């Protein structure tokens, strides 16, 4: 597609369950980013993939969070044993590597942990 | 403290100018950005400024950068109700030899009254 696609758009899960959030970046974009937006908060950086380099995981809040990017394209963010404080909108963005002003964001996945 | 700080709320009347302010901490940031987020949507890049510039104008938008004070502002002339949104300031964090990630402020909610 023409834009960054995220699925699902909404997810309600029970506390303690695992969830997987998916991001389909723009074709050809080598960099992919995950951010978290909590109510009343700014965007919190989570993780960043750039080509074949080791990902920058410095923003992952705990070891319950992990992400992978298969084949340099689709990325999955996994949250294990979800907690209520994980409730947020998870935003994915992609860019052509080397083009810092080319970030394109998806519409996000709204995660609610009950 | 936070890397990027913004005031949380601004209210203006339609037709007035809006000025949204931001302070950042990293003097080595190469680019600084303004993003707009409308309700239920992802972030849309409005404009960016290279760190060796002090002003950039793009139609109704004027970006001013005071590198000495690490202060960035976005002026919207003739503000319209369609400009109501959350505006995020962001700075780039580059890794040696590679592009890096954007660090966002908390966002300023702009309310435009008719």
């Amino acid at each position: 597609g023409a834009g960054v696609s995220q699925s699902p758009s909404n997810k309600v899960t029970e506390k303690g369950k695992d969830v997987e959030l998916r991001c389909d970046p723009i074709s050809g974009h080598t960099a992919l980013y995950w951010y978290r937006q909590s109510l009343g908060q700014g965007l919190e950086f989570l993780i960043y993939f750039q080509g074949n380099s080791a990902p920058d995981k410095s923003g992952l809040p705990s070891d319950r969070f992990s992400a992978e990017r298969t084949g340099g394209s689709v990325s999955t963010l996994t949250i294990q044993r979800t907690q209520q404080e994980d409730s947020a909108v998870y935003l994915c963005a992609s860019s052509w590597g080397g083009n810092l002003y080319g970030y394109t964001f998806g519409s996000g996945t709204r995660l609610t942990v009950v | 403290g936070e890397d990027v700080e913004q005031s949380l709320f601004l209210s203006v009347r339609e037709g007035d100018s809006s000025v949204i302010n931001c302070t950042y901490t990293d003097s080595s940031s190469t680019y600084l950005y303004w993003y707009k987020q409308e309700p239920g949507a992802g972030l849309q890049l409005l404009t960016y400024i290279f760190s060796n510039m002090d002003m950039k104008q793009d139609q109704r938008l004027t970006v001013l950068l005071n590198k000495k004070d690490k202060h960035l502002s976005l002026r919207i002339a003739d503000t319209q109700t369609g400009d109501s949104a959350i505006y995020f300031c962001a700075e780039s964090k580059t890794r040696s030899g590679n592009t890096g990630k954007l660090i966002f402020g908390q966002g300023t909610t702009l309310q435009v009254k008719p």
Side-chain angles (χ1 to χ4, degrees), chain A residues 31 33 35 37 40-43 45 48 50 53-56 58 91 97-108, chain B residues 8 30-31 33 35 37 40-45 48 86 88 92-95 98-107:
Chain A
Y33 314 81
Y35 286 82
Q37 186 177 21
Q41 304 292 317
L43 270 71
F45 167 77
Y48 154 48
Q50 170 61 60
S53 302
D56 177 352
S58 60
L91 290 165
N99 186 354
L100 273 175
Y101 45 86
Y103 262 52
T104 302
F105 278 86
S107 297
Chain B
L8 296 182
T30 311
Y31 290 95
Y33 307 80
Y35 279 81
Q37 185 181 36
L43 273 72
Q44 171 196 355
L45 177 65
Y48 64 92
I86 303 175
F88 290 92
S92 59
K93 295 277 194 185
T94 55
R95 288 196 293 193
N98 203 343
T99 56
K101 56 190 183 250
L102 299 189
I103 302 299
F104 289 84
Q106 290 181 294

Side-chain angles (χ1 to χ4, degrees), chain A residues 40-102:
Chain A
Q41 304 292 317
L43 270 71
E44 176 188 6
F45 167 77
L46 297 177
I47 188 168
Y48 154 48
F49 298 89
Q50 170 61 60
N52 295 322
S53 302
D56 177 352
K57 303 180 181 181
S58 60
L60 294 178
S62 77
D63 59 8
R64 296 187 295 105
F65 288 72
S66 62
E68 62 178 23
R69 189 179 185 193
T70 52
S73 180
V74 171
S75 177
T76 303
L77 176 70
T78 301
I79 309 173
Q80 295 178 309
R81 305 181 303 282
T82 51
Q83 304 294 313
Q84 286 186 329
E85 61 262 28
D86 299 334
S87 296
V89 175
Y90 290 82
L91 290 165
C92 175
S94 71
S95 73
W96 173 73
N99 186 354
L100 273 175
Y101 45 86

Side-chain angles (χ1 to χ4, degrees), chain B residues 44-58:
Chain B
Q44 171 196 355
L45 177 65
L46 273 182
T47 188
Y48 64 92
I49 188 167
F50 191 53
S51 58
N52 69 352
M53 299 168 64
D54 52 20
M55 187 181 91
K56 180 178 180 182
Q57 186 148 6
D58 183 2

